[in-house]
């Protein structure tokens, strides 16, 4: 039985990945700062480590065949912590000969992100956070060539799905839905890339199964669900069985607040992603793993709303009407 260590196991994707790898028959070790990850099967081993303490992380990842790097400090700590955390993860991978699995995002493409991102789409470092993400991924690439540490990156859009809060879907779109309000961060006719977390986690399981077929550094794109705001709103309306009023995210107020609140400044920097249409081409991923795990959009959105308590869990998403 192969062992995978999940870093940041209380995070939205890491927690989902721990469950997915457990279902796939892996020995799963969940690592958090406290040693307690929420909502995981009892058979999953739990350990404590501070990702900024190299020795602590190396010790906690002992026995790993794979290390899933779900570490994601809050925006305001990226400049200080993103690369040091990456360096410590690489040290753990070198020590144990572990394969490194890393969830990438679309920040690397900057303001020049095209309507369809492909595997050969050029990197464009036009934001602070995009530049930082590129730097840490460049370090992973360097480690693959100089130390033979295998890294597999799966790049995806905005997360949704699961009960853990912290995504645009729960913090904005669904936040006032019980009051009949659909809050959207951008123009309603612009395509935005979404990653339903159970599908993304299952795709990482599939990639791990094919790791021995890959070169030391590989990147893939996860297509997920590419939806306009209008399409997202209609799926939500079908799920709750009622029409929703439209509300906007108050970007002007956010930008004024950003003058004094660092977190708002970081959030506003990425607001362009709601104005620039973008979807991800999963051709390379499909060639490797076959059919990509993609849940029907209506089912995924209805399930996500039920998990957030917006609709009753008794509503069975598979019985909902399909949105054309």
């Amino acid at each position: 039985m192969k062992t995978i260590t999940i870093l940041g196991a209380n995070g939205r994707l890491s927690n989902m990945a721990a469950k997915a790898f457990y279902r796939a028959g892996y020995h799963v070790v969940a690592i958090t700062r406290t040693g307690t990850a929420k909502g995981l099967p009892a058979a999953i081993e739990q350990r404590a480590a501070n990702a900024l303490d190299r020795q602590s992380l190396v010790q906690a990842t002992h026995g790993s065949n794979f290390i899933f790097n779900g570490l994601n400090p809050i925006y305001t700590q990226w400049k200080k912590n993103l690369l040091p955390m990456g360096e410590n993860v690489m040290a753990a991978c070198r020590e144990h000969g572990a394969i490194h699995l890393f969830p990438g995002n679309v920040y690397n493409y900057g303001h020049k992100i095209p309507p369809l991102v492909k595997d050969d789409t050029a990197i464009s470092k036009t934001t602070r956070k995009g530049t930082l993400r590129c730097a840490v991924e460049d370090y992973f690439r360097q480690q693959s060539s100089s130390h033979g540490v295998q890294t597999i990156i799966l790049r995806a859009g905005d997360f949704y799905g699961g009960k853990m809060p912290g995504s645009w879907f729960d913090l904005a779109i669904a936040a006032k839905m019980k009051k009949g309000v659909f809050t959207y961060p951008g123009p309603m006719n612009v395509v935005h890339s979404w990653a339903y977390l159970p599908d993304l986690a299952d795709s990482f399981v599939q990639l791990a199964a094919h790791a021995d077929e890959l070169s030391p550094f590989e990147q893939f794109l996860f297509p997920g669900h590419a939806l306009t705001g209008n399409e997202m709103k209609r799926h939500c309306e079908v799920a709750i069985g009622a029409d929703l009023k439209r509300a906007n995210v108050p970007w002007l107020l956010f930008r004024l607040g950003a003058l004094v609140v660092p977190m708002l400044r970081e959030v506003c920097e990425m607001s362009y992603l709601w104005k620039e249409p973008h979807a991800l081409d999963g051709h390379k991923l499909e060639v490797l793993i076959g059919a990509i795990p993609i849940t029907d959009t209506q089912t995924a959105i209805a399930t996500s709303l039920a998990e957030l308590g917006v609709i009753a869990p008794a509503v069975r998403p598979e019985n909902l009407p399909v949105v054309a």
Side-chain angles (χ1 to χ4, degrees), residues 193-230:
S193 180
W194 293 94
Y196 183 53
L197 289 180
D199 294 342
L200 184 58
D202 286 341
S203 294
F204 269 107
V205 173
Q206 295 288 338
L207 279 173
H210 291 271
D212 59 357
E213 304 170 33
L214 301 176
S215 63
F217 185 88
E218 292 273 9
Q219 302 182 69
F220 296 86
L221 301 175
F222 177 75
H225 300 128
L227 303 169
T228 66
N230 287 319

Side-chain angles (χ1 to χ4, degrees), residues 167-196:
S167 71
W168 277 106
F169 186 82
D170 63 88
L171 294 177
I173 290 173
K176 298 180 180 179
M177 210 169 285
K178 282 187 175 181
K179 299 179 179 179
V181 178
F182 174 91
T183 306
Y184 199 69
M188 295 291 285
N189 62 344
V190 172
V191 172
H192 190 81
S193 180
W194 293 94
Y196 183 53

Side-chain angles (χ1 to χ4, degrees), residues 54-237:
R54 181 169 298 187
Q55 191 57 37
S56 168
L57 193 64
V58 169
Q59 290 177 351
T61 53
H62 175 75
S64 301
N65 301 111
F66 294 89
I67 294 178
F68 183 90
N69 182 0
L71 299 171
N72 190 27
I74 62 173
Y75 276 165
T76 52
Q77 295 178 0
W78 273 29
K79 185 176 181 179
K80 178 181 178 182
N81 293 336
L82 201 64
L83 187 55
M85 283 183 174
E87 292 171 343
N88 290 345
V89 173
M90 286 292 98
C93 288
R94 291 195 304 268
E95 178 70 21
H96 308 307
I99 296 170
H100 177 226
L101 304 177
F102 184 71
N105 61 29
V106 299
Y107 294 4
N108 305 53
Y109 305 111
H111 291 87
K112 296 180 181 180
I113 189 169
L116 182 62
V117 177
K118 297 186 177 182
D119 296 298
D120 59 355
T121 296
I123 297 301
S124 179
K125 303 174 186 178
T126 62
T127 65
R128 293 186 300 273
K129 287 185 287 300
T131 299
L132 289 169
R133 291 289 295 210
C134 287
V136 75
E137 289 182 21
D138 286 345
Y139 179 72
F140 298 154
R141 185 190 295 272
Q142 181 269 324
Q143 288 290 295
S144 71
S145 60
S146 62
H147 291 87
V149 177
Q150 184 175 5
T151 284
I152 304 172
I153 297 175
L154 182 56
R155 203 175 301 287
D158 270 322
F159 296 167
Y160 77 108
K163 298 180 179 180
M164 293 188 175
S167 71
W168 277 106
F169 186 82
D170 63 88
L171 294 177
I173 290 173
K176 298 180 180 179
M177 210 169 285
K178 282 187 175 181
K179 299 179 179 179
V181 178
F182 174 91
T183 306
Y184 199 69
M188 295 291 285
N189 62 344
V190 172
V191 172
H192 190 81
S193 180
W194 293 94
Y196 183 53
L197 289 180
D199 294 342
L200 184 58
D202 286 341
S203 294
F204 269 107
V205 173
Q206 295 288 338
L207 279 173
H210 291 271
D212 59 357
E213 304 170 33
L214 301 176
S215 63
F217 185 88
E218 292 273 9
Q219 302 182 69
F220 296 86
L221 301 175
F222 177 75
H225 300 128
L227 303 169
T228 66
N230 287 319
E231 290 169 332
M232 173 65 81
K233 181 172 180 286
R234 181 58 183 146
H235 282 296
C236 291
E237 288 173 334

Side-chain angles (χ1 to χ4, degrees), residues 7 29 31 52 92 96-97 167 204 212 242 250 260 267 295 313:
L7 305 182
V29 177
I31 293 185
L52 290 171
H96 308 307
S167 71
F204 269 107
D212 59 357
V260 293
V267 169
T295 300

